[in-house]
Amino acid sequence: MTRPRGARVLRLVAIVAAACVAASGLALFALDRADHAFPPPLEAASELSREVLDRDGGLLRAYTASNGVWRLPVTLDQVDPDYINMLIAYEDRRFRAHRGVDPVALLRAAVQFVGNGRIVSGGSTISMQLARLIEPRTERSLSAKLRQMARALQIERRLSKDQILSLYLTLAPYGGNLEGVRAASLAWFGREPKKLTLSQSALLVALPQSPESRRPDRHKAQARQARDRVLGRMRDAGLIPASEIARASGAAVPNRRLAMPDRAAHLADLAIGAHSEARPVQLTLDGGIQDRLEQLARETAARLGAKQSLAMVLADGRTGEILASVGSTGHLDAARSGAIDMTRAVRSPGSALKPFIYGLAFEDALIAAETLIDDQPADFSGYRPRNFDRDYMGEVSIRQALQFSLNVPAVRLLEAVGPQRLLARLKRGGVDLQLPPGGPPGLAIGLGGAGISLRDLVQLYTAFINDGTARRLRDGVETEPGPGFENPVIDAQASWRVGQILTGVEAPQGAPRIAIAYKTGTSYGYRDAWAIGFDGRHVLGVWVGRPDASPVPGLSGITDAAPLLFEAFVRSGLDRVDFPPAPYGVVERSRSALPFALRKYKSRDEPATAVAGGSLPPRIVYPPQGARVALGAGGAGRMMPLVIKLQGGVAPYRLIANGMPQPKPTRRRVLNWNPDSEGASTLTVMDAEGRAASVSVFIDAD
């Protein structure tokens, strides 16, 4: 009889103790009502991680709070409702009913302690746990418990139930320096808490009770056991069907912690610095596109040479909003100086500014697309430009000169429109070229003799999809975005003519065949490779090179930047937008239908007279007569094609190799011939007027 009576006494003591605790808490609550002398330190929860978001509110990058913890803000609508219901059912079933302290839970905890000789449950409500989180205390004593209860009562007076729950979900510990359910969900599962599975929810319910001993990356067995206990409680309470519990129990527990989202690092850092008070900072970037282009950059890094990097900028050319900005192969890639944002670095654009030269020449009615212009050695007061391949094509059309990016024709036109005028027009697009010191700008600026950033180059190219008027680029970093541009860089008709020519540039070898216009550029000394492409709405710019501006032998826009441009357009997932139709009044004419003055471009100091009888007969300028040409092996064991370059004549041209006419004539002055075998060959080219030119060559296989 003694033992049962003792047990009853102990239970009675426990009941009385619980009542005393509750009464003490109520007394402290009354004190708070009287004078508010000791308000709860709710401001302790204000120190949060800073976030940079994409245009749709997705997390691009987060930063730890000042104490080094990941504590991301969260609201209830950002969390899976099933997780919230599970949390309340497991931690505080009467959360919605009590006022901060649950006497029933305290009584149950006291009875369990007496009956088991150990603490089975603490009786703490979610409000009491929140009080402990905002005012941590290491000791476990009656006075500490009383203070926690009083704080819980105070908190309940000041905050709604949903606010209390949101604060708890923001501050609860989940192992290491993870605080809050968002940080935990991203670190352990790589997803926002809105998309938690049943198994994941159960683990996150269990972790705050003992976050270090249950860390899944260090104590996987304990984490699994804790998760399964939560699932078992849900099954026993009849809240979740047994079949779903069985499936969730069989799910794997994560064995490593994932990195926090770290996209658009260069732009995010700038945004955080520019918006020191904003929480969060929202950019114009599309998170999905940004992620895909960063993945492409990482993949491309493996194919680049040592210390080479890259940069990409994708913009909506109609609005000026930047949709993706990749500053390097990776901001942590120290071997490639990844910390440098190469979208903003000022470099030589090579030939990438040529379209604006041609645009001004179209605007001034100096040329038409089929106007002929000379590509041959020329001296412009001591400046002697040469083509990239150090060869010349002779007489070519304006269309060919721009598509083949020939240097001498571009300089001829720049001499006519004037370097100062080009600079003034680029300034209309918000861009001031960085000129070399000393003297006025010269003709070299047309071939890369000035500095510009990738962002500025993309901004200029938006003119080609806005009737000649550029759009100011915006990314969300700007505290006060500047006004739009009122004056066009080039007029609408000239803009369309340039764009139409660039749509005809062939895609680089091996690149996807997509409908975009593009222009490449290679700076002097093989330091920078560029490719800028656009459809009817979007502009994408690519730069490849070394951040330290060291030469990269063989680097070029067509071989290094252009393939990346085409791949990036495809990877972006954007639907290509059709190019606009020709503006009113634009008529495309063949050369024979052009006014006489537009059939052949003449510099101002050249006589404007025509040669009687029309054009000169065709001439093969490469390969020269009697040349021995070594052609390396191509695919499928075949030799590489022999490039044949012409001057003069009237298109179309037909190639006759060793007496056998090739199947298709061409209007291009650059022809490719695939020899069947080594040895001597005779090559003949016949023009539309029946005039012919021939050379004899010897073909070597290596």
Side-chain angles (χ1 to χ4, degrees):
M1 295 295 292
T2 304
R3 198 168 174 183
R5 184 179 301 166
R8 285 197 299 274
V9 171
L10 289 173
R11 290 191 180 94
L12 181 59
V13 170
I15 292 171
V16 173
C20 291
V21 168
S24 301
L26 290 170
L28 288 173
F29 177 57
L31 175 64
D32 175 63
R33 286 176 61 89
D35 58 17
H36 295 274
F38 304 102
L42 293 173
E43 68 279 358
S46 63
E47 176 65 20
L48 301 172
S49 296
R50 297 199 65 188
E51 303 172 279
V52 177
L53 309 181
D54 72 2
R55 65 193 298 114
D56 298 318
L59 182 61
L60 289 170
R61 197 175 195 222
Y63 299 78
T64 59
S66 60
N67 58 354
V69 302
W70 293 103
R71 185 190 290 166
L72 300 175
V74 67
T75 56
L76 295 187
D77 61 357
Q78 294 176 301
V79 183
D80 185 348
D82 291 337
Y83 166 78
I84 295 174
N85 294 335
M86 188 183 299
L87 172 68
I88 293 174
Y90 190 79
E91 289 285 357
D92 189 358
R93 284 181 293 175
R94 280 171 289 279
F95 171 71
R96 297 289 181 184
H98 64 65
R99 299 295 300 275
V101 176
D102 187 356
V104 177
L106 290 173
L107 175 60
R108 182 183 67 248
V111 172
Q112 290 174 339
F113 174 76
V114 173
N116 294 276
R118 61 184 177 84
I119 296 176
V120 176
S121 63
S124 293
T125 63
I126 289 176
S127 301
M128 292 169 64
Q129 293 179 53
L130 176 59
R132 186 174 66 248
L133 292 172
I134 64 175
E135 195 173 31
R137 290 179 177 271
T138 56
E139 77 272 15
R140 295 173 64 88
S141 63
L142 180 60
S143 63
K145 197 72 171 180
L146 289 172
R147 186 178 184 90
Q148 186 184 120
M149 293 166 62
R151 288 303 194 199
L153 294 168
Q154 291 178 310
I155 290 170
E156 290 271 349
R157 276 189 61 233
R158 289 164 169 77
L159 304 177
S160 69
K161 290 291 186 180
D162 283 352
Q163 289 174 321
I164 291 170
L165 202 52
S166 291
L167 268 181
Y168 174 82
L169 294 176
T170 301
L171 301 177
Y174 289 87
N177 64 342
L178 299 175
E179 293 187 5
V181 69
R182 275 192 73 203
S185 184
L186 290 167
W188 297 125
F189 309 120
R191 60 175 59 187
E192 291 282 356
K194 189 74 172 178
K195 302 178 180 179
L196 291 171
T197 66
L198 179 59
S199 171
Q200 293 167 348
S201 293
L203 179 59
L204 294 186
V205 167
L207 276 178
Q209 296 179 353
S210 186
E212 292 307 318
S213 64
R214 295 176 179 176
R215 280 185 60 166
D217 59 336
R218 296 182 180 177
H219 307 287
K220 189 173 183 178
Q222 291 92 320
R224 177 182 288 275
Q225 291 170 4
R227 179 201 67 181
D228 292 347
R229 278 196 298 272
V230 174
L231 291 171
R233 182 87 64 84
M234 299 302 102
R235 179 196 58 222
D236 296 342
L239 298 176
I240 299 175
S243 59
E244 293 186 27
I245 295 292
R247 281 196 297 270
S249 299
V253 171
N255 56 10
R256 65 187 181 93
R257 176 172 159 174
L258 305 175
M260 286 291 176
D262 192 23
R263 296 176 290 177
H266 300 97
L267 207 55
D269 286 347
L270 286 174
I272 288 293
H275 301 270
S276 58
E277 301 299 326
R279 292 178 181 272
V281 179
Q282 190 162 20
L283 302 180
T284 64
L285 304 187
D286 182 303
I289 297 176
Q290 181 71 26
D291 195 42
R292 291 189 288 273
L293 294 195
E294 287 190 9
Q295 177 61 34
L296 175 60
R298 289 190 292 271
E299 294 172 8
T300 305
R303 304 193 297 268
L304 295 177
K307 300 183 179 181
Q308 284 183 245
S309 189
L310 59 82
M312 293 180 276
V313 173
L314 173 62
D316 182 328
R318 302 271 180 85
T319 66
E321 292 183 341
I322 293 180
L323 303 178
S325 179
V326 180
S328 66
T329 55
H331 72 287
L332 298 178
D333 188 353
R336 302 177 190 276
S337 302
I340 301 176
D341 183 359
M342 295 306 299
T343 68
R344 298 174 182 271
V346 175
R347 306 297 286 260
S348 164
S351 298
L353 293 177
K354 285 178 181 176
F356 300 96
I357 300 173
Y358 283 82
L360 290 177
F362 277 122
E363 187 176 316
D364 291 348
L366 298 177
I367 56 173
E370 300 306 322
T371 299
L372 297 180
I373 191 170
D374 286 329
D375 176 43
Q376 56 189 3
D379 188 320
F380 300 89
S381 301
Y383 178 52
R384 300 180 179 87
R386 301 180 65 180
N387 289 326
F388 182 75
D389 62 0
R390 299 183 180 276
D391 205 347
Y392 300 92
M393 294 183 65
E395 194 176 64
V396 296
S397 69
I398 289 295
R399 183 184 305 277
Q400 292 170 319
L402 179 53
Q403 290 179 343
F404 296 151
S405 195
L406 302 178
N407 287 343
V408 174
V411 174
R412 290 185 189 280
L413 296 178
L414 180 58
E415 183 184 43
V417 300
Q420 287 282 13
R421 184 160 172 245
L422 175 64
L423 293 178
R425 288 303 187 90
L426 298 184
K427 193 168 185 176
R428 288 187 181 183
V431 175
D432 284 306
L433 291 186
Q434 189 175 100
L435 300 174
L443 297 177
I445 65 172
L447 305 183
I452 191 173
S453 71
L454 180 61
R455 284 173 60 102
D456 282 349
L457 196 56
V458 169
Q459 180 168 295
L460 287 176
Y461 269 70
T462 63
F464 293 116
I465 53 179
N466 291 296
D467 294 330
T469 301
R471 293 287 184 268
R472 188 183 299 278
L473 294 192
R474 299 183 292 110
D475 52 29
V477 171
E478 310 87 356
T479 54
E480 295 182 3
F485 304 121
E486 297 181 1
N487 297 316
V489 178
I490 50 179
D491 72 26
Q493 291 192 8
S495 169
W496 184 87
R497 291 183 188 277
V498 172
Q500 193 271 337
I501 289 175
L502 294 179
T503 61
V505 181
E506 292 187 7
Q509 187 174 5
R513 293 299 191 264
I514 55 176
I516 63 172
Y518 79 105
K519 181 71 185 74
T520 60
T522 307
S523 68
Y524 177 77
Y526 306 99
R527 289 173 169 82
D528 308 276
W530 306 77
I532 314 292
F534 55 93
D535 63 7
R537 184 180 186 99
H538 309 102
V539 182
L540 175 61
V542 172
W543 170 90
V544 178
R546 285 183 51 163
D548 63 2
S550 297
V552 181
L555 183 75
S556 75
I558 191 62
T559 60
D560 295 278
L564 183 57
L565 170 77
F566 276 71
E567 183 64 26
F569 247 118
V570 172
R571 290 278 192 102
S572 73
L574 293 169
D575 293 329
R576 242 68 64 207
V577 178
D578 292 339
F579 294 100
Y584 178 77
V586 172
V587 179
E588 290 289 280
R589 294 186 175 93
S590 65
R591 180 172 179 267
S592 61
L594 290 174
F596 181 79
L598 284 179
R599 293 184 185 182
K600 174 69 184 288
Y601 175 77
K602 293 285 187 181
S603 300
R604 292 171 180 170
D605 57 353
E606 292 182 87
T609 57
V611 177
S615 65
L616 296 172
R619 183 167 68 93
I620 298 175
V621 295
Y622 183 86
Q625 172 65 28
R628 193 178 190 98
V629 183
L631 300 177
R638 302 180 63 184
M639 285 183 287
M640 297 289 288
L642 173 65
V643 176
I644 302 168
K645 297 183 180 181
L646 308 177
Q647 285 184 357
V650 177
Y653 308 96
R654 184 177 293 276
L655 174 64
I656 304 170
N658 297 321
M660 297 293 295
Q662 299 302 294
K664 292 182 179 180
T666 178
R667 303 192 69 84
R668 299 183 59 187
R669 295 177 188 269
V670 178
L671 296 76
N672 289 331
W673 173 58
N674 294 98
D676 295 327
S677 61
E678 300 178 75
S681 294
T682 299
L683 304 175
T684 300
V685 175
M686 183 176 294
D687 74 354
E689 297 181 358
R691 297 173 296 180
S694 299
V695 293
S696 296
V697 297
F698 192 92
I699 305 298
D700 282 334
D702 51 33

